[in-house]
Amino acid sequence: MEFGTFYQLPCAPEQSPLKRYEETMMQIQHADSLGLDVAWLAELHFFPTFSIMPSPLLMASALAQRTSRIRLGIAVNILPLNNPLRNAEDAATLDILSNGRLEYGAGRGSIPLHFAGYNVSLEESRERFLEALDVVLLAWTTESFSHEGKYYQYKDVQVVPKPLQKPHPPIRIACNSSESFQMAGARGWRIFSSSVVVPIQRLEQELTTYNILLDEHGTARRGNQVAIMIPVYVCASLARGREHPETSLMHYFRTLRDMYNARQARALMQLPRMQELQQRLQNITYDQVLDHIAVFGDPAYCIERLQWFKETLGMNQLICWFNTGGKIPHQRVMESMRLFAEQVMPYID
């Protein structure tokens, strides 16, 4: 079992961007010293109360100089919004600067505001993603190459540097939709998903389908196939463990709802899957979060609940989101991380 931590760096109007970055860096250094395996950084755009981290590769480059062992994951490189050639160059550079610690997460993205801002069609996202991922792999594994695709064209390009990890850094694909789980299973990709985005009952069903498709297509299990991100907060008291994160977590869901309602993205919100998400965000309660999404409480409760998640979902990596919403005070986050590493992590088998 591997253990990770996740950051998307929301910044409320009363918070300082500089302080939010500084505290996040300190928390990831703390995770490094506590023995967590990987820190995942999200790429998000255009909505500061949801995130002020549009360039996680830059953030990871800074962390490469401040940490010694923790792996640095990008969750995810939104490939339809990036030039894949430049993305391959930047990621390979990070792999060298971190002495081979890059975990390359990739996804097609699904937030309408991002596609509206970059003037990219959301309906083209899957095709763009698949073609861009092919380009990244060619850039990393061939001396030089040409590519003539629907969205990207390159002739006789030699991408340098090459990643330190051979044949390339580990790749993990974000899966939230049924189509993504099916595509990942058929292609044998390692994946990550989240209890925040995918309701737990559907997540269990999607992972069953994913595992069936792995078997049908002859993919050998590597023991690190599935990573799941779950909001986690550990406190000495069960009551305080549930009380401390409430304001921050519900702020996250309100912010997510507001971002999907943004004027620039309203036309795309007519898609059925977007309307379904909006309905869920409108009606969610904190009790539902505690029952189905998050693990908040004292060490004994967190061990029991996380063990249930592990056995139910068959995950090989637990990614803890210690500050969902970004409004839990820094020192409380640091203490929660310490308690998790010392009193929870050793007992998840």
Side-chain angles (χ1 to χ4, degrees), residues 67-271:
T67 57
S68 60
R69 47 157 302 280
I70 196 168
R71 295 184 65 79
L72 302 171
I74 311 301
V76 295
N77 294 280
I78 306 177
L79 292 183
L81 305 183
N82 289 279
N83 183 309
L85 209 60
R86 182 55 188 265
N87 184 257
E89 292 173 325
D90 288 346
T93 303
L94 171 59
D95 199 48
I96 290 173
L97 291 175
S98 65
N99 194 27
R101 288 189 281 144
L102 170 63
E103 293 276 332
Y104 185 84
R108 66 185 180 98
S110 63
I111 296 176
L113 186 65
H114 294 172
F115 287 83
Y118 274 99
N119 196 28
V120 173
S121 168
L122 182 58
E123 296 305 304
E124 295 174 354
S125 63
R126 189 175 300 280
E127 287 184 337
R128 286 181 176 272
F129 164 74
L130 290 171
E131 186 179 339
L133 185 58
D134 286 343
V135 170
V136 170
L137 288 170
L138 283 169
W140 284 345
T141 59
T142 60
E143 186 65 24
S144 64
F145 73 97
S146 297
H147 174 82
E148 189 67 29
K150 181 176 180 179
Y151 300 103
Y152 309 104
Q153 298 82 38
Y154 309 104
K155 185 174 181 179
D156 296 329
V157 287
Q158 181 181 19
V159 173
V160 291
K162 301 300 184 190
L164 193 61
Q165 299 178 86
K166 302 300 180 187
H168 53 72
I171 295 175
R172 197 176 287 275
I173 305 300
C175 289
N176 295 320
S177 68
S178 296
E179 294 82 2
S180 294
F181 281 99
Q182 292 164 16
M183 181 171 62
R187 294 171 183 247
W189 288 334
R190 299 189 315 155
I191 65 170
F192 51 65
S193 191
S194 167
S195 66
V196 176
V197 179
V198 185
I200 190 68
Q201 187 175 18
R202 183 165 75 82
L203 185 54
E204 189 175 1
Q205 295 169 350
E206 302 289 12
L207 288 169
T208 297
T209 300
Y210 169 76
N211 287 319
I212 290 171
L213 288 168
L214 286 179
D215 291 336
E216 287 180 353
H217 289 81
T219 299
R221 303 297 177 87
R222 290 169 286 184
N224 60 353
Q225 211 81 23
V226 176
I228 304 294
M229 188 270 283
I230 299 170
V232 173
Y233 184 82
V234 189
C235 193
S237 156
L238 177 62
R240 288 197 298 273
R242 295 188 168 192
E243 173 191 349
H244 289 173
E246 180 175 3
T247 298
S248 185
L249 189 137
M250 297 311 289
H251 166 74
Y252 165 80
F253 284 112
R254 287 193 300 272
T255 301
L256 185 60
R257 185 183 63 215
D258 291 345
M259 182 175 62
Y260 276 102
N261 277 329
R263 172 182 52 81
Q264 302 94 318
R266 284 176 190 164
L268 295 172
M269 289 310 299
Q270 302 309 309
L271 297 172

Side-chain angles (χ1 to χ4, degrees), residues 280-298:
R280 180 175 173 235
L281 293 173
Q282 188 70 35
N283 296 329
I284 196 165
T285 67
Y286 191 56
D287 284 341
Q288 290 173 331
V289 170
L290 293 176
D291 289 342
H292 303 293
I293 294 173
V295 178
F296 299 156
D298 59 16

Side-chain angles (χ1 to χ4, degrees), residues 304-316:
E304 178 184 0
R305 189 66 174 153
L306 289 171
Q307 190 69 33
W308 179 87
F309 269 96
K310 178 181 182 294
E311 293 170 0
T312 300
L313 301 177
M315 59 187 177
N316 314 108

Side-chain angles (χ1 to χ4, degrees), residues 58-69:
L58 284 178
M59 176 74 158
S61 294
L63 285 164
Q65 310 309 305
R66 299 191 185 198
T67 57
S68 60
R69 47 157 302 280

